[in-house]
Amino acid sequence: MTAPVRKAPQRGSATDKVHEHLKRLILTSDLAPGEELREIALTESTGFGRSPVREALRRLVQEGFVEVRPRQGYRVSPVTLASVRDLFEMRLLLEPAAVELAALRAPREELEALHTLAHQTYVPGDTASYERFLQDNREFHVRIARATGNERLARSLRVLLEEMQRLFFISLDNRDSASEMTHEHHDLYDALLARDGARARELVVGQIEAGRERVLQGLVSRTGHLARAAAGVVLADATTRRSP
């Protein structure tokens, strides 16, 4: 049964509105992993017709946030151990290269403009505050990539970080990691201004690995306590990988 959702925002085309609305609910885990999505129920809850709802769902399927099950309809894509591993592995491939390039060739004024984003924080336990922090965090890292002058790199990193936002929300707990995460940004910002590419790479690798540990710990805790989230979070992943 699809959970009640808030009305969609009133801007852009009908399909764009529904897409933006449902995507935000998925990224913030208001629509939990594995949750069924019924066209009729979504039409009623969002106030839009079936055509824009159907088109929005198709778009979300293309983006990987929703999946189609034959003869059963749509559901929010589950989170598996393999998907967590793949996302962090991709980030480890892309972002260290991005920060190293930025340290070497980004215009100084573009690096200095990152100061505000690098010093953002959030209020532990305040979901709205955490959502704003994650948006600023994503923008911080994407703008570093854009400052390299490689727009393809920036676009790829934006898509990846957007998908990872769902993991951060699902794994959110009451532990205060705000100061820890803000300190990570301070150090990276300083390394970029110092044009220390090796230090920037080292820092971001450590940040990504620390983030992966936080996510995995949060997911384990979440699946042990919240049935709604646990239904679509599969940490005992049956997927096997071929040995190299």
Side-chain angles (χ1 to χ4, degrees), residues 199-220:
R199 176 61 175 160
R201 171 181 280 273
E202 177 187 5
L203 285 168
V204 84
V205 167
Q207 291 169 16
I208 294 169
E209 291 177 342
R212 177 172 54 195
E213 186 64 22
R214 282 194 295 262
V215 165
L216 289 174
Q217 288 179 356
L219 289 175
V220 169

Side-chain angles (χ1 to χ4, degrees), residues 216-235:
L216 289 174
Q217 288 179 356
L219 289 175
V220 169
S221 174
R222 192 86 175 202
T223 53
H225 294 91
L226 294 180
R228 185 166 177 263
V233 179
V234 186
L235 294 185

Side-chain angles (χ1 to χ4, degrees), residues 75-177:
R75 71 171 178 177
V76 179
S77 298
V79 171
T80 67
L81 187 59
S83 68
V84 174
R85 181 174 54 226
D86 289 350
L87 285 169
F88 276 97
E89 190 173 85
M90 278 297 296
R91 191 174 177 187
L92 279 169
L93 289 171
L94 290 178
E95 195 164 7
V99 298
E100 189 168 26
L101 284 173
L104 293 174
R105 68 191 191 194
R108 185 171 182 85
E109 59 271 20
E110 291 188 27
L111 296 178
E112 290 176 342
L114 296 170
H115 181 272
T116 299
L117 290 173
H119 289 76
Q120 295 292 348
T121 186
Y122 68 92
V123 180
D126 184 337
T127 302
S129 170
Y130 189 60
E131 181 180 1
R132 288 192 298 272
F133 173 78
L134 288 181
Q135 291 170 346
D136 289 337
N137 174 70
R138 184 175 67 227
E139 189 64 22
F140 174 67
H141 291 285
V142 170
R143 284 177 61 179
I144 291 173
R146 185 171 292 123
T148 68
N150 189 325
E151 189 59 35
R152 288 180 182 272
L153 178 59
R155 286 201 304 268
S156 297
L157 192 58
R158 178 178 290 279
V159 171
L160 182 63
L161 291 174
E162 190 172 68
E163 190 171 355
M164 293 186 80
Q165 181 175 326
R166 185 166 69 130
L167 299 181
F168 297 135
F169 260 97
I170 295 169
S171 61
L172 180 62
D173 57 23
N174 293 321
R175 185 168 69 93
D176 181 3
S177 57

